[in-house]
Amino acid sequence: MKHTPPAKVIPLWNLSEGSCARIARVLGPSDHVHRLDEFGLRGGTKIEMFRPGNPCIVRLSGNKVCLRTDGLLEVLVEPM
Amino acid sequence: MIAAAKTRTFTVALVGNPNTGKSTLFSGLVGVHQHVGNYPGVTVEKKTGRTSFAGLRFEVIDLPGLYSLAPRSRDEMVVVDLLLGRQRGAAVVDAVVCIVDACNLERNFYLVSQVLELGLPVVLALNMLDIAERRGIRIDAARLRRQLGVPVVPIQANRRIGLPRLKAVLADVAAGAAGDIVESAGKAHPLQRMGLSSGVPLNILPDRCLRCEATVRPEDCGEDTAAMAPDAARVHSTPLPDEFEAEVALLESELAEESNRAAGGPLPRCLVRRLLLDTNGYLQRTLLDDSDGRWASRLAAARERLADAGSPVPAVETSARYDWARRVLDGVVVEPGHYKTTPSDRIDRVLTHRFFGTLIFAAVMLIVFQSVFVWARPAMEWIDTLKEATGGWVEMQMAEGALRSLMVKGVIGGVGAVLMFLPQILVLFAFLALLEDCGYMARTAYLMDRMMARVGLSGKSFIPLLSSFACAVPGIMAARVIENERDRLTTILVAPLLTCSARLPIYAMLIAAFIPAHSYLGGLLNLQGLTLAGLYLLGIVTAMIFATVFKRTLLRGETPPFVMELPGYKWPSPRTVFMRMAERGWVFVRCAGTLILLVSILVWAALYFPHDPNATHQEQQRNSYLGRAGRVIEPVVRPLGWDWRIGCAVIASLPARELVVATMGVMYNMEYEPDSDHRRSSEKLRQATWDGTDRPVYNVPVALSIMVFFALCAQCAATLAVIRRETNSWRWPAFTFSYMTALAYAAAFVTYQVGTWIAG
């Protein structure tokens, strides 16, 4: 069996341009988290950083999405 | 076809995520027979259209783009109420067309699962298959139809491909719905009714199943109806887990007990579910009378039980719905291992670049504004000429008297002055529609977001505010793109502070008359130009300050995180651009024909009555109600350095700011010609003296005080009328008028007093 190293979780804003990641967790008030969930930005989703920064642009299953969290939310990702 | 179907109109609602081509599909279905309005009491745009096909009449409702049917505000509630048939004054929805973007089915199916729960017949319009294919995404529509259990029609809305099929399916759904009128008392599940009407044996309909594929002719789908049944049976009306549904049932019975005592009917199950899911508390406040807090505690207890059972609210909804979406889409979507770089990506590398992107954006905006002023000018002059000619003609045709004066000065003069701005509004909206339709608009919001976030707004407020430099009316209308209610209101409230083109004639006249033409830096800078720039800056700075203030006080509240989809670039459709431009233009014309007409007539009457046929123009002005009012308010405007005539002119300019120039012309007995040399009128202004003295009325501080007043005041009936229309309440235009007038007065006072002190 292939050995997989323990996944490293980093905040989304730390993800560099062009790298792919899987969203690990979205932390914050439940209503805001729910909103992002409904938008498709949820744990387990694969994303790719298109333009880092705040707001940043990420690629989400073929579409591009612009996101500014303002410290209300913390999006944690697992780089792939 | 059943005869009953031919005589009634079927209501079809279009539901879908933003950027799925919903409005394009709407236009494709109803053509030009569109009607835009508002639902009572909210700012949601009510877009309906009538059409007929297959011998049946349809009313199609285009609902705003949504990611979820979870209402968090009054605006979002309207959509839910409409779909549930609870919206007063709106027809009961017979069927829903759910439009989805083939490139992002999983996310789109979140909303689909909520729509299916409503229990209405649903037709799924699968849009943008061509784009998905180009991205390497393969979709098996036939399998989707089987696994979802509702008719699936692949379409290409922008090219109108697949629309005849969609219409045929809708006609069948409608025929099924009409069938139930004849065949059942209307108590059964609507889908079962349709099953009955189309002759599908009931035994293949599972208890809580949501199928209406029976209403599609198998030959349309190329499918065997019977073959769908086993798969379709797996699809339930709600994907939420049983423990959650048990809590919903409990709550439903408790609520039913309550509603037996109260007058209102029982809540539909979907709303009971939402009540439990809505941790934000909006629905609890809206739907329940909870003065003793017992519902709050019951809901909290239910949520706690659910959390203990491993189904925490609201996360249980998203996980259940996405799980359902994955099950339904299993084997339907084949995604590429990794996404190819599309032309959209290559364009975005440049257009969203911090430096180059911003540079291009500035250039685009420059072109837009240049065009608004240059292209609209001939049409504006033409309307002005037409106004003059019509006025002249009416003057010749009618006998002298109050009626003629009313027609010429009140109706034609007042409304004409406002209609002059129609070409600018049309050109601006043509550009905005073009930028929106090709996908660039979302990028501008991204680029400007950082800047707008500093005053508490998001990038989406930028374009509406920028448009307000041409005219606040299209700016306020463009604010519709802002989903966040508070951000939208803040944008609407500060938009009139930005210097619109109607202020230019006032600035031009007063600057030419009173600001010396000093040059600095070898002619590069000029005091007159600097004054004009200063007035623009005054508007911008004040708008920024007030946006921050409103967001921190009046419109304070938790701002949700800013998320926005960046749709792929595409060639704009001339049809969509034209329709959007025409729609906005019509809103403005209707405004001018109603409210603005009323204000113009009122101001005219105040200047005309009491009428003395032998008096000169000036005597008439002085003795009119407006003139008398002007003299009464003179003590109020005196601290600003104004005499009663300026006070009068300000009141008379209520319909539109630029009327102040014409009114002052009448007051000081000078001929005002819009594009002529200002020298003659400037001379007249300089000669004006205070009544009974030789002291000149005007000097630099007075001129500055008037300009500052007009930079900040809300003397524009069109703007106030549009605010009323967009917010659907008189409260906001009244508020805008009060705060801006108070602000303008204070600023003019400071300008005059400080100016006099420096000059003295």
Side-chain angles (χ1 to χ4, degrees):
Chain A
M1 214 166 132
K2 223 171 94 181
H3 172 73
T4 46
K8 208 175 100 203
V9 172
I10 59 162
L12 178 68
W13 52 265
N14 252 355
L15 194 66
S16 56
E17 188 167 330
S19 12
C20 289
R22 198 174 284 286
I23 297 179
R25 275 192 82 179
V26 182
L27 302 170
S30 74
D31 196 43
H32 292 344
V33 176
H34 192 60
R35 228 174 244 266
L36 283 202
D37 266 2
E38 293 179 334
F39 199 81
L41 281 165
R42 51 195 298 271
T45 316
K46 202 183 125 186
I47 55 161
E48 184 192 318
M49 183 55 82
F50 186 81
R51 269 261 178 242
N54 198 23
C56 64
I57 300 178
V58 296
R59 201 199 298 273
L60 173 75
S61 58
N63 287 16
K64 276 191 255 43
V65 166
C66 160
L67 170 71
R68 170 164 51 84
T69 53
D70 281 339
L72 293 168
L73 286 172
E74 179 87 86
V75 181
L76 297 173
V77 298
E78 238 172 79
M80 289 159 67
Chain B
M1 190 119 338
I2 294 135
K6 302 241 180 205
T7 51
R8 65 175 276 215
T9 301
F10 295 94
T11 307
V12 175
L14 285 185
V15 183
N17 282 184
N19 305 311
T20 45
K22 194 167 52 60
S23 296
T24 315
L25 173 64
F26 176 72
S27 288
L29 284 176
V30 303
V32 292
H33 309 288
Q34 304 186 5
H35 177 81
V36 186
N38 271 80
Y39 290 102
V42 289
T43 64
V44 181
E45 194 173 69
K46 181 186 187 180
K47 222 166 136 188
T48 55
R50 283 177 177 269
T51 181
S52 54
F53 40 76
L56 301 174
R57 286 200 302 266
F58 288 89
E59 177 165 53
V60 186
I61 308 174
D62 186 14
L63 291 172
L66 293 167
Y67 291 106
S68 162
L69 278 185
R72 292 181 179 92
S73 67
R74 224 153 45 114
D75 280 11
E76 291 172 340
M77 191 66 197
V78 171
V79 177
V80 177
D81 276 344
L82 189 107
L83 289 171
L84 289 172
R86 290 161 49 92
Q87 178 67 32
R88 254 181 300 146
V92 174
V93 173
D94 294 302
V96 178
V97 173
C98 213
I99 179 166
V100 292
D101 171 6
C103 302
N104 200 350
L105 277 185
E106 192 174 301
R107 210 271 314 279
N108 277 260
F109 265 52
Y110 183 85
L111 180 68
V112 172
S113 98
Q114 290 178 327
V115 171
L116 287 174
E117 255 174 30
L118 300 175
L120 286 164
V122 177
V123 177
L124 193 84
L126 187 58
N127 197 18
M128 304 197 221
L129 268 175
D130 51 330
I131 300 171
E133 241 162 66
R134 258 180 271 147
R135 288 192 190 169
I137 305 170
R138 273 182 297 138
I139 289 163
D140 183 347
R143 185 169 177 147
L144 177 61
R145 195 178 297 133
R146 279 200 305 275
Q147 296 186 173
L148 182 64
V150 308
V152 176
V153 184
I155 60 165
Q156 231 173 288
N158 54 344
R159 290 170 160 196
R160 319 185 83 189
I161 295 172
L163 297 200
R165 254 291 282 293
L166 185 64
K167 286 179 179 178
V169 172
L170 269 177
D172 266 359
V173 169
D180 74 52
I181 302 172
V182 182
E183 294 181 26
S184 81
K187 282 283 177 202
H189 190 282
L191 303 163
Q192 293 184 343
R193 279 183 248 147
M194 290 204 305
L196 276 170
S197 65
S198 11
V200 172
L202 246 186
N203 57 13
I204 70 156
L205 284 167
D207 191 18
R208 296 194 309 179
C209 151
L210 280 158
R211 2 174 310 114
C212 48
E213 79 274 29
T215 58
V216 190
R217 287 189 298 265
E219 61 267 31
D220 274 343
C221 315
E223 293 282 331
D224 176 11
T225 313
M228 290 183 216
D231 280 331
R234 292 207 311 257
V235 186
H236 291 288
S237 61
T238 176
L240 285 156
D242 292 340
E243 63 269 22
F244 183 85
E245 283 304 298
E247 287 291 349
V248 172
L250 181 67
L251 189 61
E252 197 176 22
S253 63
E254 285 173 351
L255 284 165
E257 256 171 56
E258 182 90 356
S259 72
N260 284 342
R261 270 176 272 136
L267 279 181
R269 183 131 206 191
C270 314
L271 279 182
V272 180
R273 244 180 234 131
R274 291 255 60 98
L275 205 51
L276 198 51
L277 287 168
D278 178 31
T279 49
N280 178 19
Y282 169 77
L283 280 179
Q284 196 184 317
R285 288 190 298 271
T286 321
L287 298 174
L288 303 177
D289 168 27
D290 198 20
S291 41
D292 53 2
R294 104 196 106 128
W295 287 112
S297 57
R298 277 186 203 177
L299 284 168
R303 286 178 194 142
E304 211 165 294
R305 284 193 295 272
L306 282 169
D308 290 342
S311 301
V313 170
V316 61
E317 182 184 18
T318 35
S319 57
R321 292 198 195 284
Y322 279 115
D323 283 347
W324 171 84
R326 247 187 312 255
R327 275 200 311 274
V328 171
L329 294 172
D330 180 41
V332 170
V333 186
V334 182
E335 299 210 30
H338 85 165
Y339 288 96
K340 286 187 276 191
T341 305
T342 61
S344 272
D345 292 336
R346 279 190 283 272
I347 300 172
D348 265 338
R349 290 218 188 285
V350 183
L351 291 189
T352 61
H353 191 274
R354 184 76 54 77
F355 179 72
F356 296 110
T358 313
L359 204 67
I360 293 169
F361 175 56
V364 170
M365 286 302 120
L366 203 68
I367 294 169
V368 170
F369 271 80
Q370 192 66 17
S371 315
V372 166
F373 288 106
V374 176
W375 293 4
R377 167 119 330 158
M380 286 173 86
E381 278 166 13
W382 185 76
I383 292 179
D384 198 35
T385 316
L386 190 74
K387 184 187 86 181
E388 298 293 318
T390 320
W393 183 79
V394 170
E395 205 144 17
M396 284 204 316
Q397 297 299 313
M398 291 174 75
E400 165 127 35
L403 197 62
R404 186 177 87 174
S405 174
L406 166 72
M407 284 302 293
V408 175
K409 295 207 173 117
V411 177
I412 301 172
V415 174
V418 173
L419 276 185
M420 279 243 309
F421 291 90
L422 181 65
Q424 278 197 340
I425 289 170
L426 290 181
V427 173
L428 189 70
F429 267 110
F431 269 108
L432 294 187
L434 201 73
L435 296 180
E436 172 101 60
D437 205 42
C438 72
Y440 186 57
M441 201 64 114
R443 276 72 183 181
T444 68
Y446 161 74
L447 286 170
M448 291 298 124
D449 185 64
R450 197 183 296 260
M451 198 174 89
M452 300 307 294
R454 288 204 192 125
V455 293
L457 295 172
S458 82
K460 290 195 174 178
S461 294
F462 188 77
I463 293 278
L465 291 178
L466 191 70
S467 308
S468 302
F469 281 104
C471 176
V473 173
I476 289 164
M477 287 197 263
R480 279 185 198 170
V481 296
I482 309 166
E483 294 107 9
N484 185 288
E485 233 180 317
R486 289 193 196 92
D487 278 13
R488 188 167 161 221
L489 254 175
T490 308
T491 309
I492 289 175
L493 293 182
V494 301
L497 285 169
L498 299 165
T499 300
C500 64
S501 55
R503 282 158 168 125
L504 277 174
I506 310 164
Y507 293 168
M509 180 177 78
L510 292 170
I511 288 178
F514 298 102
I515 307 296
H518 289 318
S519 296
Y520 309 100
L521 299 174
L524 198 67
L525 293 175
N526 163 305
L527 191 59
Q528 292 189 333
L530 284 176
T531 310
L532 188 64
L535 288 164
Y536 269 87
L537 201 66
L538 175 70
I540 296 169
V541 171
T542 317
M544 282 167 65
I545 294 172
F546 273 84
T548 317
V549 169
F550 288 148
K551 284 289 295 211
R552 296 219 174 135
T553 54
L554 200 61
L555 300 166
R556 188 180 44 209
E558 223 173 67
T559 310
F562 176 60
V563 273
M564 175 184 65
E565 209 169 328
L566 302 178
Y569 291 102
K570 67 177 179 67
W571 288 110
S573 127
R575 186 193 170 85
T576 310
V577 171
F578 176 80
M579 291 296 293
R580 212 164 296 169
M581 180 183 87
E583 186 190 301
R584 297 296 194 256
W586 176 239
V587 166
F588 181 68
V589 169
R590 223 172 30 188
C591 220
T594 50
L595 264 168
I596 297 167
L597 179 68
L598 185 75
V599 177
S600 300
I601 291 174
L602 286 178
V603 168
W604 164 84
L607 263 169
Y608 189 84
F609 293 111
H611 192 64
D612 175 5
N614 302 318
T616 62
H617 233 21
Q618 268 162 305
E619 281 167 1
Q620 171 61 39
Q621 298 269 326
R622 198 182 158 81
N623 295 324
S624 69
Y625 288 125
L626 188 65
R628 289 177 201 182
R631 273 173 297 144
V632 170
I633 65 155
E634 199 181 63
V636 180
V637 297
R638 230 183 186 144
L640 313 181
W642 303 357
D643 71 346
W644 66 269
R645 291 187 186 88
I646 305 175
C648 273
V650 169
I651 302 175
S653 69
L654 195 63
R657 286 184 185 87
E658 71 281 10
L659 286 179
V660 76
V661 178
T663 318
M664 274 162 83
V666 175
M667 294 272 173
Y668 297 111
N669 199 19
M670 59 193 190
E671 287 296 307
Y672 170 69
E673 288 150 31
D675 285 319
S676 75
D677 193 354
H678 289 290
R679 221 169 296 154
R680 221 150 43 90
S681 47
S682 303
E683 205 49 50
K684 288 267 185 189
L685 283 182
R686 281 197 212 112
Q687 285 165 4
T689 55
W690 287 88
D691 277 359
T693 69
D694 295 336
R695 199 158 56 90
V697 173
Y698 288 91
N699 52 29
V700 176
V702 172
L704 283 176
S705 130
I706 297 175
M707 288 192 285
V708 165
F709 185 86
F710 274 95
L712 303 176
C713 73
Q715 300 288 97
C716 178
T719 302
L720 296 173
V722 161
I723 296 178
R724 140 96 188 103
R725 194 190 169 277
E726 295 296 299
T727 60
N728 224 332
S729 121
W730 280 110
R731 210 172 93 206
W732 295 111
F735 174 75
T736 310
F737 185 78
S738 322
Y739 103 83
M740 285 180 67
T741 307
L743 176 70
Y745 184 88
F749 174 79
V750 171
T751 308
Y752 176 71
Q753 298 297 339
V754 171
T756 312
W757 181 70
I758 291 171

